[in-house]
Amino acid sequence: MGTGKHLATLAFCLALLWASRFGPYACATLPGFAQEISSSWPSLMANGFLLIAFLYVPAYDFVSWLSYRLGWDKDFDPIAVYPEIQRPGQQPISQTTKRFLYPLDLAIVGFVLLPLWTKAAHCG
């Protein structure tokens, strides 16, 4: 189910990119972002990539939790970010740290990256 979760997470992120056009952001309400942000394909790709990169870990954990709650998986298996490069004796990220970082990550996505993506994709 691991590959399926990764594909479902990617589909979730891409669906969010597509659904952003129906969000509360309008071109007139995004004056703080420079016009150069929405003027080229590299900026469009960079904004979309950053949005997916910031959203991927919380989205994967959400998909994993959802598959556990729906009975498709026997246990909840959150994503392990870079487990192979941990130093000996290094502790993994604790749940308390994740409870702090996930809202911060989602705030960055909702208040910075999603408006940047909307400006680049739909106002350019």
Side-chain angles (χ1 to χ4, degrees):
M1 185 72 184
T3 304
K5 285 183 199 175
H6 286 290
L7 290 175
T9 302
L10 186 59
F12 178 78
C13 291
L14 292 174
L16 179 72
L17 289 178
W18 179 78
S20 68
R21 67 185 325 168
F22 305 111
Y25 306 112
C27 296
T29 62
L30 299 171
F33 299 113
Q35 184 64 26
E36 292 81 20
I37 290 172
S38 62
S39 63
S40 67
W41 277 98
S43 67
L44 180 68
M45 297 302 288
N47 289 329
F49 178 76
L50 278 174
L51 186 60
I52 290 174
F54 270 76
L55 190 62
Y56 193 82
V57 173
Y60 182 89
D61 284 349
F62 174 72
V63 167
S64 180
W65 176 80
L66 192 62
S67 67
Y68 166 69
R69 294 298 291 172
L70 292 174
W72 297 337
D73 278 339
K74 294 178 184 170
D75 57 348
F76 172 65
D77 184 28
I79 194 168
V81 181
Y82 303 121
E84 66 275 358
I85 62 170
Q86 287 185 348
R87 292 177 296 217
Q90 181 181 4
Q91 297 294 322
I93 296 175
S94 68
Q95 291 296 333
T96 306
T97 305
K98 280 187 176 183
R99 286 187 192 118
F100 170 73
L101 290 178
Y102 279 10
L104 179 65
D105 189 13
L106 294 176
I108 290 170
V109 165
F111 295 116
V112 177
L113 295 176
L114 200 56
L116 278 173
W117 163 257
T118 303
K119 178 89 171 180
H122 307 296
C123 300

